[in-house]
């Protein structure tokens, strides 16, 4: 017999589980990177994880960007990770807001003399828009939290 939760609880549970999945993946990539930096070969990591060495190489490339070490005094290596940890229920919203307001974001790339080129340039990986904007898009932040963080950073 299957017991069905009401639709609102299912959506809420689904969002929380997605955030947990993201947090777990970041943790996996961080562990992989740290093991590799500690001297474990890509071949050994591939054996342990049941994948090819080229797959490990690709994961390590992503890990360098998506899974840096956790910054001291925070709950993540990126602002995006902190928002995901809150959405997963690992930290409370007040802690998340405090950490995202205190985060040191990368400055945007300076504009060029060619506006058409600037329109298609990638966002700065550690910039506010890429980190916090992506967390908002993925449902890890509410509109209210986003506005509160943005307003606090503008002051």
């Amino acid at each position: 017999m299957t017991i069905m939760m009401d639709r609102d609880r299912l959506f809420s549970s689904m969002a929380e589980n997605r955030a947990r999945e993201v947090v777990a993946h970041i943790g996996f990539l961080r562990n992989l990177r740290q093991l590799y930096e500690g001297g474990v070969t890509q071949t050994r990591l591939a054996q342990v994880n049941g994948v090819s060495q080229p797959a490990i190489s690709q994961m390590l490339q992503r890990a360098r960007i998506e899974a840096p070490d956790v910054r001291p005094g925070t709950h993540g290596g990126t602002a995006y990770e902190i928002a995901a940890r809150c959405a997963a229920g690992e930290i409370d919203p007040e802690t998340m807001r405090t950490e995202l307001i205190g985060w040191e974001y990368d400055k945007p790339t300076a504009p060029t003399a060619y506006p058409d080129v600037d329109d298609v340039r990638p966002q700065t990986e550690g910039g506010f828009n890429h980190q916090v904007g992506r967390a908002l898009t993925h449902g890890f932040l509410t509109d209210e939290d986003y506005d509160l963080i943005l307003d606090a950073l503008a002051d």
Side-chain angles (χ1 to χ4, degrees):
M1 180 171 130
T2 302
I3 298 175
M4 187 74 159
M5 289 191 278
D6 68 74
R7 195 173 296 255
D8 289 340
R9 286 187 57 207
L10 283 171
F11 273 110
S12 177
S13 178
M14 182 176 66
E16 190 172 302
N17 286 329
R18 181 173 185 286
R20 284 188 187 129
E21 183 178 42
V22 167
V23 168
H25 185 67
I26 291 169
F28 168 77
L29 289 176
R30 182 175 292 124
N31 293 157
L32 190 73
R33 181 185 53 76
Q34 289 172 339
L35 284 165
Y36 179 70
E37 289 171 355
V40 178
T41 67
Q42 288 187 21
T43 303
R44 178 67 180 135
L45 291 169
Q47 291 169 342
V48 169
N49 287 288
V51 297
S52 67
Q53 179 276 323
I56 291 294
S57 179
Q58 290 174 347
M59 287 179 208
L60 287 168
Q61 287 176 349
R62 283 196 319 272
R64 287 182 191 95
I65 295 167
E66 297 174 22
D69 292 336
V70 173
R71 287 189 185 179
T74 72
H75 290 87
T78 64
Y80 178 80
E81 180 181 359
I82 292 169
R85 287 190 183 282
C86 180
E90 292 185 12
I91 60 174
D92 63 86
E94 184 58 37
T95 299
M96 176 205 57
R97 286 188 294 267
T98 300
E99 290 184 12
L100 295 182
I101 290 167
W103 196 264
E104 192 170 318
Y105 298 95
D106 293 346
K107 301 287 183 220
T109 307
T112 67
Y114 306 99
D116 291 341
V117 171
D118 291 338
D119 288 344
V120 295
R121 288 169 63 183
Q123 294 179 357
T124 305
E125 198 67 43
F128 180 85
N129 288 338
H130 184 72
Q131 293 290 318
V132 180
R134 188 166 53 121
L136 176 67
T137 300
H138 291 172
F140 299 157
L141 286 175
T142 64
D143 290 338
E144 294 79 21
D145 283 333
Y146 181 85
D147 290 342
L148 190 141
I149 294 161
L150 190 59
D151 289 345
L153 291 171
D155 290 341

